[in-house]
Amino acid sequence: GENVEQHPSTLSVQEGDSAVIKCTYSDSASNYFPWYKQELGKGPQLIIDIRSNVGEKKDQRIAVTLNKTAKHFSLHITETQPEDSAVYFCAANGKSNFGNEKLTFGTGTRLTIIP
Amino acid sequence: DAGITQSPRYKITETGRQVTLMCHQTWSHSYMFWYRQDLGHGLRLIYYSAAADITDKGEVPDGYVVSRSKTENFPLTLESATRSQTSVYFCASIGGIGAAFFGQGTRLTVV
């Protein structure tokens, strides 16, 4: 099945600087790659996603890049703010007995923004 | 309220007891999932479902049972709770575009 690796596990950046989180996946058939943000005591929330037919997607201060050949994708957060502090998860879809809706998650990155 | 809700939010149970975690979604999404979240492991898939009465095992299914008699409900049962099942449990559903929406989680402690 799909295997997703995520690095780093913790990341501290100065407010206003950029943060980059990287993930690799194993299943070349994966075609959907979402990123989730989890704040303390809450469930993960989707912040951005990308499909395999594009190489980059942006939404204000966040962007995701995808390299299908190398099987890796990255989350970029620019002009970081204190409210960006959270745990971030990457995921990739994979084949199930019913289709390809099964999401496999990375182990998470705890991002801390230093004021 | 529209969305996906889990109950209870917190639960303490004793080893060997049966406990059921509830999940309800109002979108009529076909796919539903149960994950457990443990430090260092991220989110691991326990069971998932493609529709009512269609379920399958995920990565860590041992000790858990699911059912889905109605599209909107997907309960997770621990038949005989063990301390290793102490965790935070998340239910999720997937809409047509592939994005998963998560509930607020249930923090389960087995003593």
Side-chain angles (χ1 to χ4, degrees):
Chain A
E2 177 67 276
N3 182 47
V4 177
E5 295 191 357
Q6 183 172 347
H7 299 281
S9 56
T10 60
L11 178 62
S12 295
V13 301
Q14 209 71 36
E15 181 178 354
D17 288 350
S18 295
V20 180
I21 302 170
K22 298 182 179 183
C23 289
T24 61
Y25 63 98
S26 61
D27 188 351
S28 56
S30 295
N31 60 6
Y32 176 66
F33 308 92
W35 285 89
Y36 288 83
K37 176 183 181 182
Q38 186 179 27
E39 297 175 334
L40 198 62
K42 297 185 178 181
Q45 279 199 302
L46 179 73
I47 56 171
I48 194 167
D49 56 13
I50 191 169
R51 294 192 180 270
S52 58
N53 56 346
V54 298
E56 184 175 0
K57 184 177 178 180
K58 280 186 180 180
D59 183 3
Q60 298 182 345
R61 294 187 298 107
I62 60 173
V64 58
T65 58
L66 171 65
N67 183 326
K68 283 202 68 180
T69 304
K71 288 192 233 168
H72 67 70
F73 56 112
S74 300
L75 177 71
H76 304 253
I77 306 174
T78 59
E79 301 172 15
T80 53
Q81 300 169 5
E83 53 264 37
D84 294 329
S85 293
V87 178
Y88 291 81
F89 291 97
C90 63
N93 70 332
K95 195 173 179 181
S96 72
N97 289 335
F98 314 125
N100 63 348
E101 302 295 340
K102 191 167 66 169
L103 286 177
T104 299
F105 285 81
T107 50
T109 296
R110 181 173 297 279
L111 174 64
T112 303
I113 307 303
I114 304 165
Chain B
D1 289 337
I4 184 164
T5 56
Q6 293 182 234
S7 60
R9 290 293 313 277
Y10 303 92
K11 176 75 177 177
I12 300 174
T13 191
E14 294 178 339
T15 303
R17 289 195 179 266
Q18 182 181 81
V19 60
T20 296
L21 310 183
M22 304 301 293
C23 178
H24 175 79
Q25 53 112 346
T26 59
W27 295 300
S28 298
H29 287 167
S30 294
Y31 287 89
M32 295 187 74
F33 304 80
W34 274 106
Y35 290 89
R36 60 177 290 173
Q37 183 173 30
D38 306 287
L39 199 61
H41 291 281
L43 293 154
R44 292 183 291 174
L45 183 64
I46 305 170
Y47 268 95
Y48 60 107
S49 170
D53 297 322
I54 301 177
T55 63
D56 201 1
K57 297 177 181 179
E59 183 185 351
V60 289
D62 293 345
Y64 303 95
V65 174
V66 293
S67 62
R68 196 166 176 206
S69 57
K70 293 183 179 180
T71 301
E72 60 267 30
N73 297 324
F74 191 38
L76 176 73
T77 298
L78 288 66
E79 294 186 297
S80 178
T82 65
R83 289 200 177 94
S84 65
Q85 293 178 308
T86 292
S87 186
V88 181
Y89 291 85
F90 286 100
C91 177
S93 68
I94 284 187
I97 60 171
F101 297 90
F102 283 82
Q104 291 287 72
T106 294
R107 182 175 293 275
L108 176 69
T109 303
V110 183
V111 297

